[in-house]
């Protein structure tokens, strides 16, 4: 009850209690009363306008028409993206379909479309104006490949903004012992020294991905390319990885395009779903790096268990909430290999804090 109560305070009074069944704590009335008594003291610090930095799009259109065969898949990829941002202390607001207007987006520096497959022309025009006027767009996987009713477009609706063109989903490779699906293996090769120093020789995670090409005469740059590592004789690609071999296919996987005064960053893999399946620290660090390129107004150096929110109490005062939420992130379907070895903590916990 304490965690959920403080989470509601930190999020402006909204009840944030995912995966908690109603009635779980009704037998502990004294505990709930004690917690609520303390929470009432925090009323002056609840509400007000959030400090704007990043808007994460949560789309009912995409859930209903883009993930109609797998609605849980939509929530998994949204949960993964949200978790990576909040566990990296990125100031994050959720925006819904009707809020995807320029008037609402212009107060943000960054907009993230986490596989927002289904977008209307009006919504895309708002995003296009946002980027053109200096905003940063982060888009993943099949964002804008369908209209608001799930009708497939020939190309990304935002191809001009992203600077890439859709080719097709990555193809399957069939082998004698069964079928290996390379769409689940995102292995990215950094293309400059800064990224190599920060992430090493490769960035890898498991999720669906698309094949794309750089749009002609767009000036789009590849930040990462797809690796040419392949399954061989039943062995996973990284089993035989050697850093000094030629393992770069040259095909774009993460790109950045200048559009007007702003920029658009495209990630060909469904990073949110990848993190929900396997919450890898390297993937979270990568998303945090991309999301922080515009220098957030508030930066906090803290363990990932601390979530940060901020609101403007008045023109001269900002209220910052640091919420200690130590609940570990565990995938919905961790599978047969899940163990403490596969879900490591990315920092140690002190026994005491002075």
């Amino acid at each position: 009850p304490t965690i959920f109560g403080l989470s509601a305070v930190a999020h402006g009074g909204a009840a944030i209690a995912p995966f908690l069944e109603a009635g779980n704590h009704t037998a502990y009335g004294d505990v709930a009363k004690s917690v609520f008594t303390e929470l009432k003291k925090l009323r002056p610090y609840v509400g007000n306008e959030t400090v704007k930095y990043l808007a994460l799009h949560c789309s009912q259109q995409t859930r209903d028409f883009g993930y109609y065969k797998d609605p849980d898949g939509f929530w998994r990829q949204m949960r993964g993206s949200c978790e990576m941002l909040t566990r990296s202390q990125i100031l994050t607001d959720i925006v819904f379909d009707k809020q995807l207007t320029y008037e609402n987006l212009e107060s943000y520096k960054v907009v993230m479309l986490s596989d927002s497959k289904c977008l209307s022309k009006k919504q895309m025009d708002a995003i296009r104006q946002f980027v053109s006027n200096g905003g940063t767009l982060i888009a993943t996987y099949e964002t804008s490949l369908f209209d608001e009713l799930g009708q497939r477009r020939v190309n990304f609706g935002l191809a001009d903004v992203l600077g890439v063109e859709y080719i097709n989903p990555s193809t399957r490779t069939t082998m004698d012992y069964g079928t290996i699906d390379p769409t689940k293996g995102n292995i990215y090769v950094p293309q400059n020294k800064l990224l190599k120093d920060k992430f090493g020789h490769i960035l890898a995670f498991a999720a669906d991905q698309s094949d794309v090409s750089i749009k002609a005469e767009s000036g789009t740059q590849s930040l990462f390319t797809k690796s040419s590592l392949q399954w061989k004789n039943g062995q996973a690609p990284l089993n035989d990885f050697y850093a000094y071999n030629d393992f770069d296919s040259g095909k774009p996987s993460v790109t950045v395009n200048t559009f007007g005064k702003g920029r658009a960053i495209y990630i060909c893999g469904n990073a949110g779903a990848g993190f929900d399946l396997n919450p890898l620290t390297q993937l979270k660090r990568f998303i945090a790096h991309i999301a922080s390129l515009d220098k957030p107004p508030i930066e906090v150096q803290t363990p990932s268990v601390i979530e940060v929110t901020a609101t403007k109490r008045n023109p001269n005062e900002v209220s910052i909430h640091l919420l200690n939420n130590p609940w570990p992130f565990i995938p919905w379907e961790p599978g047969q290999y899940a163990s403490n070895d596969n879900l490591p903590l990315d920092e140690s916990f002190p026994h005491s804090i002075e």
Side-chain angles (χ1 to χ4, degrees):
T2 303
I3 289 293
F4 288 118
L6 290 173
S7 180
V9 170
H11 289 87
I16 310 296
F19 321 117
L20 178 68
E21 296 180 4
N24 272 12
H25 299 289
T26 54
Y28 304 99
D30 291 341
V31 172
K33 181 179 179 180
S34 175
V35 170
F36 190 66
T37 298
E38 293 299 314
L39 292 178
K40 286 194 293 185
K41 299 176 184 178
L42 301 177
R43 280 176 174 170
Y45 306 98
V46 177
N48 303 307
E49 183 182 356
T50 59
V51 176
K52 309 296 185 187
Y53 177 67
L54 185 146
L56 175 63
H57 181 217
C58 181
S59 173
Q60 183 176 342
Q61 296 165 182
T62 296
R63 184 201 67 181
D64 291 348
F65 300 110
Y67 281 83
Y68 66 94
K69 293 183 179 180
D70 181 25
D72 283 348
F74 169 78
W75 293 114
R76 291 186 182 99
Q77 64 90 16
M78 279 303 305
R79 179 176 182 244
S81 292
C82 188
E83 189 76 10
M84 283 189 285
L85 293 170
T86 57
R87 293 296 188 180
S88 301
Q89 294 77 49
I90 304 294
L91 294 180
T92 303
D93 286 349
I94 300 296
V95 295
F96 300 101
D97 292 326
K98 290 185 178 181
Q99 296 172 301
L100 219 55
T101 64
Y102 177 71
E103 291 71 25
N104 187 57
L105 297 180
E106 65 175 335
S107 57
Y108 294 94
K109 287 188 176 182
V110 183
V111 171
M112 182 169 178
L113 304 178
S114 179
D115 193 28
S116 296
K117 300 177 189 287
C118 302
L119 295 174
S120 68
K121 181 180 182 303
K122 186 176 181 180
Q123 290 169 327
M124 292 190 300
D125 286 343
I127 295 166
R128 193 172 283 110
Q129 185 179 1
F130 166 78
V131 179
S132 180
N133 287 346
T136 293
L137 174 68
I138 301 172
T140 69
Y141 189 35
E142 293 183 338
T143 289
S144 78
L145 191 59
F146 301 81
D147 69 14
E148 70 273 25
L149 297 178
Q151 298 298 311
R152 166 75 181 275
R153 296 184 170 105
V154 175
N155 196 3
F156 293 126
L158 291 171
D160 58 328
V161 181
L162 300 175
V164 296
E165 295 185 332
Y166 181 81
I167 299 177
N168 51 249
S170 293
T171 56
R172 289 175 178 266
T173 299
T174 303
M175 299 190 175
D176 293 338
Y177 63 91
T179 299
I180 299 301
D181 187 356
T183 67
K184 302 297 184 182
N186 289 255
I187 305 175
Y188 298 166
V189 183
Q191 294 299 297
N192 61 54
K193 186 177 185 304
L194 172 65
L195 294 174
K196 289 178 181 177
D197 290 344
K198 197 172 187 68
F199 299 104
H201 294 289
I202 58 172
L203 170 71
F205 62 96
D208 290 324
Q209 61 178 317
S210 298
D211 283 334
V212 299
S213 63
I214 291 179
K215 195 173 177 63
E217 300 180 0
S218 65
T220 304
Q221 296 180 340
S222 287
L223 299 179
F224 290 80
T225 56
K226 291 184 177 182
S227 172
S228 57
L229 294 168
Q230 299 289 329
W231 289 77
K232 292 181 180 179
N233 302 319
Q235 296 296 314
L238 297 183
N239 284 1
D240 297 325
F241 174 71
Y242 181 62
Y244 300 100
N245 285 348
D246 183 12
F247 54 89
D248 189 345
S249 73
K251 296 179 180 179
S253 60
V254 181
T255 60
V256 59
N257 180 50
T258 300
F259 185 81
K261 298 178 182 178
R263 60 184 165 188
I265 299 170
Y266 172 74
I267 304 168
C268 77
N270 193 343
F275 190 77
D276 186 85
L277 178 65
N278 294 293
L280 302 174
T281 300
Q282 187 193 38
L283 178 56
K284 184 187 73 172
R285 288 177 52 242
F286 164 66
I287 293 297
H289 170 74
I290 295 296
S292 300
L293 291 176
D294 283 86
K295 193 171 178 56
I298 296 173
E299 294 181 313
V300 180
Q301 293 184 352
T302 177
S304 66
V305 296
I306 304 296
E307 297 180 14
V308 179
T309 60
T311 58
K312 297 178 181 178
R313 299 186 66 193
N314 59 56
N316 300 314
E317 187 176 6
V318 172
S319 178
I320 300 174
H321 293 275
L322 304 179
L323 174 64
N324 181 13
N325 186 359
W327 284 27
F329 181 85
I330 299 177
W332 281 5
E333 298 175 358
Q336 60 178 319
Y337 300 109
S339 69
N340 292 333
D341 294 334
N342 296 100
L343 298 170
L345 295 170
D346 55 0
E347 67 268 324
S348 59
F349 288 88
H351 293 289
S352 62
I353 298 177
E354 297 181 358

